[in-house]
Amino acid sequence: MSTSASSIKLRHLLGIEGLSPETISALLDVSETYIEQNRQIDKKQSLLRGRTIINLFFENSTRTRTSFELAGKRLGGDVINMQTSASSVKKGETLLDTAMTLNAMHPDLLVVRHPDSGAVQLLSQKVNCAVINGGDGSHEHPTQALLDALTIRRRRGKLQGLLVAICGDILHSRVARSNIHLLNTMGARVRVIGPPTLMPAEIDRLGVEVFTDMRKGLTGVDIVMMLRLQTERMHGSYVPSIPEYFRFFGLDNEKLSFAKPDALIMHPGPMNRGVEIDSEVADDIGRSVIHEQVEMGVAVRMACLEVLMSQRRNEPSGSVAEGGGE
Ligand code: NCD
C-alpha cells in the first residue's frame, strides 16, 4: 500500500466536514491494509504497544464501541471502556470534569460518544490527547461514514459519480450528515429521501437533492442507505404511526425495484425490522452489505487509531504538534 499513516496529518478526528478528498482516500487506503489481517487467526500487532485508549460512551452503542475496542486491542494497545451508567457521571460530574479526570491519567486517545452535538469538539479542546468522535448528537459520526465509503469503494471500485440515496430520519442522523459530507467531497451525488418532518431546516445548504417520495427518489440509484428512526431524539410526533411510516418509507422489494438492479443495500445498524426496512431486503445476501459494513468498521477504526497515534510518536503526552486540525 502506497499510503503511509504518518503522512496523514490529523490531530483529532472530529468530523468529515473539512477533510480533503486526499485525506479521505488516504484513510481508506490505510483501512484496506487491515482487512486481510482481521480475517487471519492471529490478528494481533504491536504497533500501539504502551498506548492507552479510553472509550468514553455517554450513549448506548454495540458496533462502534466494540469495534473501537477490537481495533485498539488488535493493534496491541491497552483499551479501557468507560460505561457512563457505571461512572461518576451518574453522581453529577460534568462532561468536562470527567474528561479532565481521565486526562490526568495520560491516555493517548479518547473515543467519545455524546448525545449533544458539539460536545466532543469541546472536550477535544480541553485534553492533551487525540480525540475521535464516536458520534455527537445529530452532528457527525466520521468513522461510520468512512466505513460506509470503504464498503462502497470495495464493491464498486470508486465513489466518484455514484448516485447514493440516504433514506429515513435525516433530521436526527449524524450518520446522514457525515455521509453527505464524505460523498459530496468524493464526487458522488447524494439524494435524501424522507418525510418533510424528518428533513433538517438546513438541508438545502448540504448539496443534496431532496425527495419525499421513496419511489421517485430511489429511481436509478446505485446505493440505498437506510437509517433508523431515532425515537430517542424525538420530542413530539414526527411520524403518524409505525405502520404508516413503513408503508411510505420502509424499504421493501417493491420500492427497491426502482433502484438500479444491482443497487447495494446499506444500514449503519441497529436496524428496526418492519419500521425502516423489511427483513426480506435486509437479509438479501445478494444485495445487502450490512454485515460487510460492520467488518469494514474494525479496519477503519484501526486505520484511524494508527493515523492519530503516528502523529504522537516519541512525544510525551501534552506536547502534541499543533496543526492538522482537520
Ligand atoms: C448509528 C449511531 O449511533 O449514530 N449507529 C452506529 O453507530 N452504527 C445509527 C443509529 O443509532 O441509528
Side-chain angles (χ1 to χ4, degrees):
M1 202 59 52
S2 57
T3 314
S4 92
S6 57
S7 68
I8 306 172
K9 300 292 173 221
L10 276 182
R11 180 174 179 182
H12 304 295
L13 181 61
L14 300 174
I16 297 292
E17 189 173 15
L19 293 188
S20 66
E22 293 74 24
T23 297
I24 292 169
S25 293
L27 282 166
L28 298 180
D29 291 345
V30 177
S31 306
E32 290 268 1
T33 66
Y34 287 113
I35 296 169
E36 265 315 303
Q37 184 194 324
N38 284 335
R39 292 176 180 168
Q40 305 303 312
I41 299 284
D42 184 359
K43 304 172 181 65
K44 193 95 168 175
Q45 282 195 11
S46 57
L47 200 71
L48 297 190
R49 225 182 96 217
R51 305 299 182 101
T52 307
I53 298 159
I54 303 181
N55 282 330
L56 180 57
F57 277 57
F58 294 88
E59 264 189 9
N60 295 340
S61 174
T62 305
R63 280 147 280 264
T64 307
R65 198 198 53 71
T66 314
S67 58
F68 267 115
E69 182 176 355
L70 280 177
K73 287 182 171 167
R74 287 182 184 172
L75 291 174
D78 296 314
V79 185
I80 288 168
N81 293 310
M82 289 272 310
Q83 220 66 34
T84 54
S85 56
S87 74
S88 289
V89 173
K90 281 279 169 248
K91 299 180 186 170
E93 190 171 69
T94 66
L95 165 70
L96 291 182
D97 283 335
T98 303
M100 294 316 288
T101 301
L102 296 176
N103 190 51
M105 300 182 200
H106 297 289
D108 298 284
L109 191 139
L110 291 176
V111 181
V112 187
R113 169 170 285 193
H114 197 277
D116 295 339
S117 302
V120 182
Q121 183 176 11
L122 180 70
L123 185 147
S124 73
Q125 292 161 0
K126 307 286 177 191
V127 296
N128 298 320
C129 62
V131 175
I132 297 181
N133 182 0
D136 64 323
S138 55
H139 177 227
E140 281 240 33
H141 190 352
T143 55
Q144 180 69 43
L146 287 166
L147 75 88
D148 289 338
L150 184 62
T151 308
I152 299 171
R153 198 178 79 164
R154 284 170 62 81
R155 284 287 185 141
R156 288 290 175 267
K158 58 174 186 176
L159 294 165
Q160 174 139 30
L162 294 178
L163 187 53
V164 182
I166 306 178
C167 315
D169 185 357
I170 312 290
L171 178 64
H172 300 103
S173 178
R174 53 199 177 204
V175 175
R177 275 179 191 72
S178 289
N179 263 302
I180 290 170
H181 291 308
L182 187 147
L183 292 164
N184 276 338
T185 304
M186 300 309 287
R189 281 169 53 208
V190 183
R191 291 179 177 176
V192 292
I193 314 174
T197 48
L198 292 177
M199 284 295 166
E202 81 276 13
I203 195 72
D204 294 331
R205 294 199 303 271
L206 292 178
V208 296
E209 277 182 274
V210 182
F211 290 81
T212 52
D213 180 302
M214 276 289 266
R215 292 171 186 82
K216 282 188 189 146
L218 288 178
T219 300
V221 303
D222 298 283
I223 311 286
V224 185
M225 239 180 229
M226 298 308 299
L227 299 172
R228 183 176 66 88
L229 271 186
Q230 310 247 322
T231 45
E232 73 277 21
R233 296 187 214 286
M234 294 183 188
H235 307 287
S237 171
Y238 287 81
V239 292
S241 71
I242 296 301
E244 189 98 332
Y245 182 79
F246 182 75
R247 190 154 81 87
F248 287 102
F249 296 100
L251 187 70
D252 54 16
N253 271 319
E254 189 273 324
K255 295 188 195 82
L256 184 62
S257 68
F258 287 80
K260 283 207 180 128
D262 62 347
L264 298 178
I265 301 155
M266 304 179 76
H267 194 306
M271 263 190 294
N272 285 150
R273 293 168 183 264
V275 180
E276 72 270 359
I277 192 163
D278 189 45
S279 278
E280 227 183 2
V281 177
D283 300 332
D284 180 343
I285 48 164
R287 304 179 68 178
S288 165
V289 292
I290 294 171
H291 291 128
E292 212 167 298
Q293 289 172 265
V294 178
E295 182 188 7
M296 294 307 127
V298 181
V300 157
R301 285 159 184 140
M302 289 169 89
C304 293
L305 295 180
E306 184 190 352
V307 165
L308 292 182
M309 289 298 90
S310 70
Q311 312 288 305
R312 293 170 56 85
R313 203 152 280 159
N314 299 324
E315 288 166 355
S317 32
S319 67
V320 182
E322 283 302 325
E326 278 191 317

